[in-house]
């Protein structure tokens, strides 16, 4: 069992201060969440900083999350008082719905005024949740650098959207200590914590444990396993996957390092299937 995953580099402290100092300049906040882990990817520090400021929840990566659970999460956030939108920033799916929503909110803010002001917003979220991909979709150009590792965006930048709206981008922000260890593990599964500080074979073993419980058929299908393999211990199941995939070192030793990276990559890319780890109930 992985314990006490924490990652809070110096730039995240600066991001917290940046959000706090610039919040008064914007009309609303777009919070980008990973649709596979909507609660674990929701930073409580952002809740504390944003307060009662109008907020749009962009549930991203819905292409690799369960459709059924995404629908339930949209209902959950709507009942909570936020405005949820399901998107896939990588392909652009759902982004037009988000733009229409922002235009309605802009019109509401300018209602009764002589001159319509452009909507100003801030985009926030944990690392590697897809903020940069979404911004590039909204602006219609490669306005920010994109990477599949956390910590690519380093500082704030004001950007103008195609419709004249203004958007403040901020680096991803994690929090100093995860009260629930499962939150840290789920963030690590989804790539929001640097792989370099993690034990990837052990993390992959934790993922197998979750998948055999909640998505056994997808796990069996991806690695061409028999139903009987679900009766194995977790480490035996990992060993069987390694043998089927050829992750073997000289002397018939299991190559756990290669297996750990490959299994996590399969999950993160959606190759295992459309998986939501946190259910709305």
């Amino acid at each position: 069992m992985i314990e006490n995953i924490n990652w809070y580099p110096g730039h995240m402290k600066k991001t917290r201060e940046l959000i706090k100092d610039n919040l008064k300049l914007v009309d609303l906040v777009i919070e980008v969440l990973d649709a596979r882990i909507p609660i674990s990817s929701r930073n409580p520090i952002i809740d504390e900083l944003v307060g009662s400021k109008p907020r749009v929840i962009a549930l991203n990566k819905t292409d690799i999350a369960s459709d059924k659970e995404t629908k339930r999460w949209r209902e959950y956030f709507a009942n909570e008082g936020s405005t949820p939108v399901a998107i896939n920033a990588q392909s652009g799916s759902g982004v037009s719905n988000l733009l229409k929503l922002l235009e309605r909110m802009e019109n509401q803010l300018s209602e009764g005024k002589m001159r319509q002001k452009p909507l100003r917003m801030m985009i926030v979220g944990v690392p590697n949740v897809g903020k940069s991909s979404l911004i590039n979709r909204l602006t219609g150009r490669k306005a920010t650098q994109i990477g599949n590792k956390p910590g690519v965006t380093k500082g704030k930048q004001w950007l103008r959207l195609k419709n004249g709206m203004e958007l403040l981008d901020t680096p991803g922000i994690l929090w100093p200590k995860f009260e629930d260890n499962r939150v840290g593990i789920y963030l690590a599964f989804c790539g929001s914590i640097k792989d370099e500080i993690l034990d990837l074979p052990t993390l992959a073993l934790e993922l197998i444990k979750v998948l055999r419980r909640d998505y056994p058929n997808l796990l069996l299908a991806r690695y061409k396993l028999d139903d009987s393999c679900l009766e194995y211990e977790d480490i035996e199941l990992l060993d069987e996957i390694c043998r089927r995939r050829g992750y073997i070192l000289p002397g018939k030793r299991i190559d756990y390092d290669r297996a750990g990276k490959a299994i996590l990559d399969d999950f993160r890319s959606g190759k295992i299937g459309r998986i939501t780890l946190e259910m709305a109930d």
Side-chain angles (χ1 to χ4, degrees):
M1 175 70 176
I2 294 179
E3 295 181 0
N4 302 322
I5 292 179
N6 285 292
W7 182 54
Y8 194 68
H11 83 265
M12 292 195 178
K13 182 176 184 294
K14 293 177 184 176
T15 301
R16 177 176 180 158
E17 293 165 358
L18 185 153
I19 292 172
K20 186 176 180 181
D21 293 343
N22 288 276
L23 200 58
K24 60 183 177 294
L25 303 176
V26 301
D27 303 304
L28 66 90
V29 172
I30 299 175
E31 184 178 10
V32 185
L33 303 181
D34 189 321
R36 297 167 296 176
I37 51 168
I39 295 301
S40 291
S41 61
R42 196 171 202 198
N43 190 333
I45 290 175
I46 290 174
D47 271 347
E48 171 194 324
L49 293 173
V50 172
S52 59
K53 182 77 70 171
R55 191 181 330 191
V56 172
I57 299 290
L59 283 166
N60 192 27
K61 305 190 180 184
T62 52
D63 59 312
I64 51 178
S66 158
D67 269 339
K68 176 185 171 185
E69 288 304 318
T70 297
K71 182 180 179 183
R72 294 175 69 194
W73 277 114
R74 288 177 64 190
E75 293 169 356
Y76 171 93
F77 287 117
N79 291 335
E80 186 190 67
S82 299
T83 306
V85 182
I87 65 168
N88 172 13
Q90 201 71 40
S91 69
S93 174
V95 175
S96 60
N97 294 332
L98 175 59
L99 279 167
K100 288 173 187 174
L101 171 64
L102 295 174
E103 286 165 3
R104 285 200 303 271
M105 297 177 88
E106 183 180 61
N107 291 334
Q108 288 169 3
L109 285 170
S110 298
E111 196 171 346
K113 295 180 180 176
M114 292 286 290
R115 185 179 169 202
Q116 181 166 322
K117 280 177 52 182
L119 187 72
R120 301 190 95 194
M121 54 204 147
M122 178 187 293
I123 189 162
V124 299
V126 303
N128 205 36
V129 81
K131 297 186 304 300
S132 295
S133 296
L134 175 57
I135 289 169
N136 290 343
R137 286 284 171 187
L138 291 172
T139 58
R141 63 186 188 281
K142 192 172 180 180
T144 63
Q145 187 180 359
I146 295 174
N148 60 2
K149 293 184 178 181
V152 173
T153 304
K154 298 299 182 185
K156 76 170 184 179
Q157 52 180 331
W158 279 102
L159 303 163
R160 189 175 295 275
L161 275 59
K162 291 180 285 188
N163 56 14
M165 296 177 185
E166 295 174 353
L167 174 64
L168 177 63
D169 181 22
T170 61
I173 176 174
L174 287 174
W175 51 114
K177 183 174 175 58
F178 305 129
E179 298 301 329
D180 182 347
N181 193 51
R182 182 177 57 177
V183 169
I185 290 174
Y186 281 2
L187 287 168
F189 285 163
C190 295
S192 291
I193 297 173
K194 282 189 173 180
D195 283 346
E196 289 80 359
I197 71 164
L198 298 168
D199 178 349
L200 296 188
T202 305
L203 186 63
L205 190 62
E206 290 291 333
L207 178 59
I208 286 171
K209 188 184 300 184
V210 172
L211 295 180
R212 73 183 296 175
R213 182 191 69 207
D214 296 335
Y215 294 92
N217 293 335
L218 293 180
L219 182 66
L220 294 176
R222 173 60 185 168
Y223 298 109
K224 297 181 172 56
L225 302 171
D226 305 321
D227 288 350
S228 60
C229 293
L230 294 177
E231 298 174 10
Y232 293 176
E233 296 292 328
D234 296 322
I235 188 63
E236 292 173 333
L237 185 52
L238 175 58
D239 288 352
E240 184 63 24
I241 291 173
C242 290
R243 282 190 285 269
R244 298 285 178 106
R245 284 302 176 97
Y247 302 145
I248 306 295
L249 294 167
K252 297 184 179 180
R253 292 176 296 121
I254 302 291
D255 190 345
Y256 289 115
D257 289 332
R258 185 181 171 199
K261 186 178 185 306
I263 291 167
L264 289 165
D265 285 347
D266 282 352
F267 167 72
R268 292 169 183 173
S269 63
K271 289 178 181 175
I272 296 177
R274 302 183 65 168
I275 291 167
T276 298
L277 297 177
E278 293 178 327
M279 312 306 175
D281 54 3

